[in-house]
Amino acid sequence: MLDQIHLLAAVTVLGVLEQAYFFLQVIYARRAFGISPPKSSGPPEFERIFRAQVNSSEYFPIFLALLWQAGLFFHQGVAAGLGLLYLCARYCYFIGYRTSSSKRLPAIYFGTGILWILIAASALGIIHFFLSHYMGLNVLQLLTV
Amino acid sequence: MLDQIHLLAAVTVLGVLEQAYFFLQVIYARRAFGISPPKSSGPPEFERIFRAQVNSSEYFPIFLALLWQAGLFFHQGVAAGLGLLYLCARYCYFIGYRTSSSKRLPAIYFGTGILWILIAASALGIIHFFLSHYMGLNVLQLLTV
Amino acid sequence: MLDQIHLLAAVTVLGVLEQAYFFLQVIYARRAFGISPPKSSGPPEFERIFRAQVNSSEYFPIFLALLWQAGLFFHQGVAAGLGLLYLCARYCYFIGYRTSSSKRLPAIYFGTGILWILIAASALGIIHFFLSHYMGLNVLQLLTV
């Protein structure tokens, strides 16, 4: 079973490490700007870093859910490759957002595009499974005939 | 293996699409009320939509965790059906909250009720597995005798 | 398959119950301090409870991701044990934070330490799988020779 998920697991752990990096940046920013918890508002420079982390945290379960469905039902290698691209896009988003609000945009468009590809891959894989499981239709076989 | 999780995977992807819809509503509201990131406060109309999305994001990993445990240890079809009901409740919650704070309440009570049923189903399924795995007790068999 | 994940599933459901407890504390605090949604700011006593719940929610998907990778690729029992310790640390964090911001610190250091151990266990387990799957190297066997 593990050989069907080891690439997904590796990307998952890399994603956790990236989240840890984002959390650390917020801790450093709290110290630099003197903003102690539970406060979460402050100068725009701090709020941009804070919001970048919050946004990345909100997307993390969505990313994992899609990574694993696409990896299990479409193709593990493709899903893991897209997952790595997404983690890169998230990193660029964070670095860009820290500089200015507008600099987060290219990376967020790219990252969101990857998530939509993962949604499409998951949906195709699951629909393909439903067709073959419930109706005995093998679409890939039909297309090649 | 995939035939034991395909319904859970389908509900998971539907849940992601719903989260995407909520994120889009916040983006539209940001434009309509002229509130650019990293700001997240504004008129109550905006804050209700914003909080509805934040709350849905916070519950999403909890929902997925229960959906999958209930589906794996209790019954896949029952868990997926409850999952679909939960996604409906979340949609009604979001639409209601957008109108007024009090209109989110019926849907949140219904949605929380479904989560508690999923918790009960997961717990029953896992306890049943523990009893048969470690003590050789098959409770279902004992009940029918 | 279920005997490889039943301990992870049990800890996952316990984690969900803990999250439910945190959500309830915020609801009680909202009533006690008269802060109705969508508002999320108020006196420090309320904001500490609110931030404790938000922080726990942000870490929950990270915790689950690590629990399951460590459990699948390293050792299920060890991962589940560490998971229980983490849930205790989270509880102490919440109770401490409610009293004062500084009282959350010991528990958060302990909890973060457990997450790093889970990261290390996951990484070791996955690297071990990669070495044996792609290069035919069994590191454990080599070490004992």
Side-chain angles (χ1 to χ4, degrees):
Chain A
M1 191 191 78
L2 295 186
D3 62 313
Q4 284 160 40
I5 59 167
H6 63 293
L7 298 174
L8 308 177
V11 175
T12 299
V13 174
L14 287 178
V16 168
L17 288 174
E18 187 174 71
Q19 291 296 114
Y21 173 79
F22 295 159
F23 277 112
L24 283 174
Q25 299 308 307
V26 173
I27 291 170
Y28 297 152
R30 281 193 179 279
R31 282 190 203 147
F33 294 100
I35 299 163
S36 311
K39 273 188 71 182
S40 63
S41 53
E45 291 75 25
F46 170 75
E47 292 203 348
R48 286 203 306 272
I49 295 175
F50 182 75
R51 284 297 310 162
Q53 179 262 308
V54 170
N55 185 283
S56 301
S57 288
E58 282 182 343
Y59 273 87
F60 191 59
I62 291 171
F63 164 64
L64 288 186
L66 292 176
L67 172 72
W68 283 77
Q69 311 317 314
L72 289 170
F73 285 87
F74 188 77
H75 188 283
Q76 189 189 187
V78 171
L82 289 167
L84 287 179
L85 280 179
Y86 176 79
L87 294 183
C88 292
R90 264 291 143 185
Y91 181 77
C92 295
Y93 160 86
F94 195 92
I95 301 299
Y97 206 168
R98 185 156 61 179
T99 317
S100 87
S101 283
S102 61
K103 284 207 176 141
R104 81 188 197 288
L105 292 175
I108 214 168
Y109 292 144
F110 184 63
T112 311
I114 294 171
L115 289 182
W116 282 110
I117 297 176
L118 283 171
I119 288 179
S122 307
L124 280 175
I126 294 169
I127 290 169
H128 177 254
F129 184 87
F130 270 78
L131 288 177
S132 67
H133 189 70
Y134 291 108
M135 306 173 64
L137 278 177
N138 192 326
V139 181
L140 290 178
Q141 215 165 47
L142 289 176
L143 287 174
T144 51
V145 171
Chain B
M1 192 190 78
L2 294 186
D3 63 312
Q4 283 160 38
I5 60 168
H6 63 292
L7 298 174
L8 309 177
V11 175
T12 299
V13 173
L14 287 177
V16 167
L17 288 173
E18 186 173 69
Q19 291 295 115
Y21 172 79
F22 295 159
F23 277 112
L24 284 173
Q25 299 307 307
V26 173
I27 291 170
Y28 297 152
R30 281 192 178 279
R31 281 189 204 147
F33 294 100
I35 298 164
S36 311
K39 275 187 70 181
S40 62
S41 53
E45 291 76 24
F46 170 76
E47 292 203 349
R48 287 202 305 271
I49 295 174
F50 182 75
R51 285 296 309 162
Q53 177 262 308
V54 170
N55 186 282
S56 301
S57 287
E58 282 181 343
Y59 272 87
F60 190 59
I62 290 170
F63 164 64
L64 288 187
L66 292 175
L67 172 74
W68 284 77
Q69 310 318 313
L72 288 170
F73 285 88
F74 187 78
H75 188 284
Q76 189 187 190
V78 171
L82 289 167
L84 287 178
L85 280 180
Y86 176 79
L87 294 183
C88 293
R90 266 289 145 186
Y91 180 78
C92 296
Y93 161 84
F94 194 92
I95 301 299
Y97 206 168
R98 186 156 61 180
T99 316
S100 86
S101 284
S102 62
K103 287 208 173 138
R104 81 188 196 290
L105 291 175
I108 215 168
Y109 292 143
F110 183 63
T112 310
I114 294 171
L115 289 182
W116 282 110
I117 298 175
L118 282 171
I119 288 179
S122 306
L124 281 176
I126 293 170
I127 290 168
H128 177 255
F129 184 87
F130 270 78
L131 288 176
S132 66
H133 189 69
Y134 291 108
M135 306 172 66
L137 278 178
N138 193 326
V139 180
L140 290 180
Q141 215 164 48
L142 290 176
L143 287 176
T144 51
V145 172
Chain C
M1 191 192 78
L2 294 186
D3 63 313
Q4 284 160 40
I5 59 167
H6 64 292
L7 298 175
L8 308 177
V11 175
T12 299
V13 174
L14 287 177
V16 167
L17 289 173
E18 186 174 70
Q19 290 297 114
Y21 173 79
F22 295 159
F23 277 112
L24 284 174
Q25 299 308 307
V26 172
I27 291 169
Y28 298 151
R30 281 192 178 280
R31 280 188 205 148
F33 293 99
I35 297 163
S36 311
K39 273 188 72 183
S40 62
S41 52
E45 291 75 25
F46 171 76
E47 293 203 349
R48 285 203 306 273
I49 295 174
F50 182 75
R51 284 297 310 162
Q53 178 263 308
V54 170
N55 185 283
S56 301
S57 287
E58 282 182 343
Y59 273 87
F60 190 59
I62 291 171
F63 164 63
L64 288 187
L66 293 176
L67 172 73
W68 284 77
Q69 310 319 312
L72 289 170
F73 285 89
F74 187 78
H75 188 284
Q76 189 188 190
V78 171
L82 289 166
L84 287 178
L85 279 180
Y86 176 79
L87 295 182
C88 292
R90 266 290 145 185
Y91 181 77
C92 295
Y93 160 85
F94 195 92
I95 300 301
Y97 206 167
R98 185 156 62 180
T99 316
S100 85
S101 284
S102 62
K103 285 207 175 140
R104 83 191 195 286
L105 292 175
I108 213 168
Y109 292 144
F110 184 64
T112 311
I114 294 170
L115 288 183
W116 282 109
I117 297 174
L118 282 171
I119 288 180
S122 307
L124 280 175
I126 294 170
I127 289 168
H128 177 255
F129 184 87
F130 270 77
L131 288 176
S132 67
H133 189 70
Y134 290 109
M135 305 171 67
L137 280 177
N138 193 326
V139 180
L140 290 180
Q141 216 165 46
L142 290 175
L143 287 174
T144 51
V145 172

